[in-house]
Amino acid sequence: MLLNGIEGRIEKNVSLKNLSTWRIGGTAEWVVWPKSVAEMEKLWRFSQQENIPIRLIGRGSNLLFPDEGLKGITVVTTSLTSEVWGECSLQAEMGCSVARLAQEAGEKGFSGLEFARGIPGTLGGAIVMNAGAHGGEIQNVLYKVMVLTEEGQIETLSKEELTFGYRECSLRGKGWILAAELKFKPGKIETIKAQMAENLAKRKAAQPLELPNAGSVFRNPPGDSAGKLIEQAGWKGKGIGGAQVASKHGNFIVNVGNATAADVLALIQAIQRDVFEKYGVELRTEVHYMTS
Ligand SMILES: Cc1cc2nc3c(=O)[nH]c(=O)nc-3n(C[C@H](O)[C@H](O)[C@H](O)COP(=O)(O)OP(=O)(O)OC[C@H]3O[C@@H](n4cnc5c(N)ncnc54)[C@H](O)[C@@H]3O)c2cc1C
């Protein structure tokens, strides 16, 4: 593949296991870690001109990659991490770790990202997923986003031009988030740090962080908890192949060794069928199965 003018790392035939926190997936034909927004644009234009499939990922902490692998170009945002802090505000590129931004905001006495301290994704991934926890959501601190649209235009959109829902944002699948501006509330450093420490402790106690996983697999049904329903249905500790429902948390599927995407998909479907038969509740997935 002839990619002139890209200084970022380019690799051929990369195991998708290395790009996902679940450590699952076949081989990605090409993987590029662009170093600038200009390189992102170049990659996008190149893929359109050459008719090559292209997709964007962040930390791969909400993704299931296919066993067959992915053709074309997989763009990883994690090298784009510039950040400029202002008075209770931040302009940051999409590849910044949202957990690290939360920590830095806390150290400055900026409140609003306390919920994000234990979320392993990037800022771009967090916005597209409207990531949230402990009663907080990324939309509550979002002010503006810079987006590369599907038509190849760079646009700045205010939060009011977007719609958000539970783990949903209208930008999903509608372009690439390049950067964002966040606005915080002033807070006391000690209070913010204590809140983050409490949130982290809750995660450590409840989540099977010692094994590869992708966080919550299913969305919570309205007024209910997916994890509780799965636990009541008797799935904790049960699995298919290398994929197992964590003994610690019913909504986590852990990779206990060489799990395949087929294992995870079969387990997801078996759980969905069983929970529907037992409780009449349709569980919808929160994780994305990225097939193209
Ligand atoms: C241990 C653990 C705990 C977790 N806890 C939480 C939690 O408490 N709350 C929560 O909400 N989530 C949680 N997650 C899930 C995950 O971390 C979040 O959804 C995160 O926001 C995903 O970010 P990412 O960079 O990993 O995105 P990826 O998984 O790489 O991508 C997810 C989707 O976003 C798209 N995307 C990524 N970057 C961009 C971009 N710049 N522009 C446009 N589209 C983009 C991708 O194409 C893909 O469709 C957890 C995951 C793990 C492993």
Side-chain angles (χ1 to χ4, degrees):
M1 188 172 62
L2 192 62
L3 265 176
N4 290 326
I6 302 287
E7 283 180 22
R9 186 152 59 103
I10 302 177
E11 285 185 22
K12 194 168 186 200
N13 295 333
V14 176
S15 171
L16 285 161
K17 289 185 171 73
N18 299 332
L19 302 179
S20 117
T21 55
W22 237 336
R23 303 198 61 75
I24 292 174
T27 303
E29 190 178 13
W30 291 99
V31 179
V32 186
W33 288 261
K35 274 193 164 169
S36 65
V37 162
E39 290 192 358
M40 299 268 290
E41 260 192 282
K42 255 186 206 154
L43 282 164
W44 189 87
R45 286 190 205 295
F46 174 80
S47 76
Q48 303 304 301
Q49 278 156 15
E50 304 293 321
N51 204 17
I52 297 174
I54 192 163
R55 82 247 358 136
L56 188 69
I57 68 165
R59 178 70 185 87
S61 62
N62 201 48
L63 284 175
L64 180 63
F65 289 124
D67 297 322
E68 302 73 43
L70 290 170
K71 291 271 177 231
I73 309 172
T74 302
V75 181
V76 187
T77 65
T78 50
S79 298
L80 284 134
T81 57
S82 96
E83 51 188 73
V84 180
W85 293 88
E87 269 305 309
C88 245
S89 68
L90 166 69
Q91 286 179 13
E93 285 182 332
M94 80 306 268
C96 288
S97 148
V98 79
R100 192 180 47 73
L101 293 180
Q103 191 178 2
E104 283 182 48
E107 277 158 12
K108 293 176 195 302
F110 299 168
S111 175
L113 272 184
E114 289 87 330
F115 74 91
R117 184 62 186 84
I119 299 182
T122 59
L123 179 60
I127 294 170
V128 135
M129 292 301 303
N130 188 22
H134 317 288
E137 280 182 341
I138 196 83
Q139 65 154 325
N140 298 336
V141 288
L142 190 66
Y143 182 61
K144 279 182 193 166
V145 281
M146 186 165 90
V147 182
L148 177 65
T149 66
E150 289 173 297
E151 292 76 38
Q153 308 297 320
I154 292 192
E155 282 180 4
T156 300
L157 300 169
S158 68
K159 181 191 159 179
E160 286 67 36
E161 292 174 86
L162 310 171
T163 51
F164 291 90
Y166 171 49
R167 304 295 167 268
E168 271 171 3
C169 166
S170 50
L171 280 174
R172 183 161 140 63
K174 300 261 166 58
W176 292 356
I177 298 170
L178 303 175
E181 191 171 337
L182 309 183
K183 287 220 189 283
F184 307 104
K185 292 202 170 100
K188 281 202 176 117
I189 295 178
E190 291 321 312
T191 315
I192 296 170
K193 281 190 172 173
Q195 185 62 62
M196 288 199 284
E198 192 186 320
N199 293 346
L200 271 185
K202 278 188 194 154
R203 278 176 189 274
K204 280 189 187 138
Q207 299 181 353
L209 302 176
E210 59 291 346
L211 286 165
N213 69 79
S216 293
V217 173
F218 299 99
R219 293 152 191 260
N220 286 322
D224 215 331
S225 151
K228 270 199 193 130
L229 290 169
I230 295 165
E231 181 177 352
Q232 277 167 24
W235 280 96
K236 269 189 168 180
K238 288 192 183 153
I240 294 179
Q244 197 180 87
V245 177
S247 321
K248 216 171 172 182
H249 195 310
N251 203 7
F252 274 55
I253 291 180
V254 287
N255 179 353
V256 291
N258 295 321
T260 61
D263 293 339
V264 173
L265 291 172
L267 185 54
I268 285 175
Q269 282 162 12
I271 292 169
Q272 283 173 324
R273 252 194 323 269
D274 192 41
V275 167
F276 185 71
E277 276 167 19
K278 286 182 172 139
Y279 309 112
V281 177
E282 276 182 45
L283 289 180
R284 286 175 61 211
T285 50
E286 179 174 323
V287 291
H288 295 168
Y289 182 39
M290 188 169 255
T291 50
S292 59

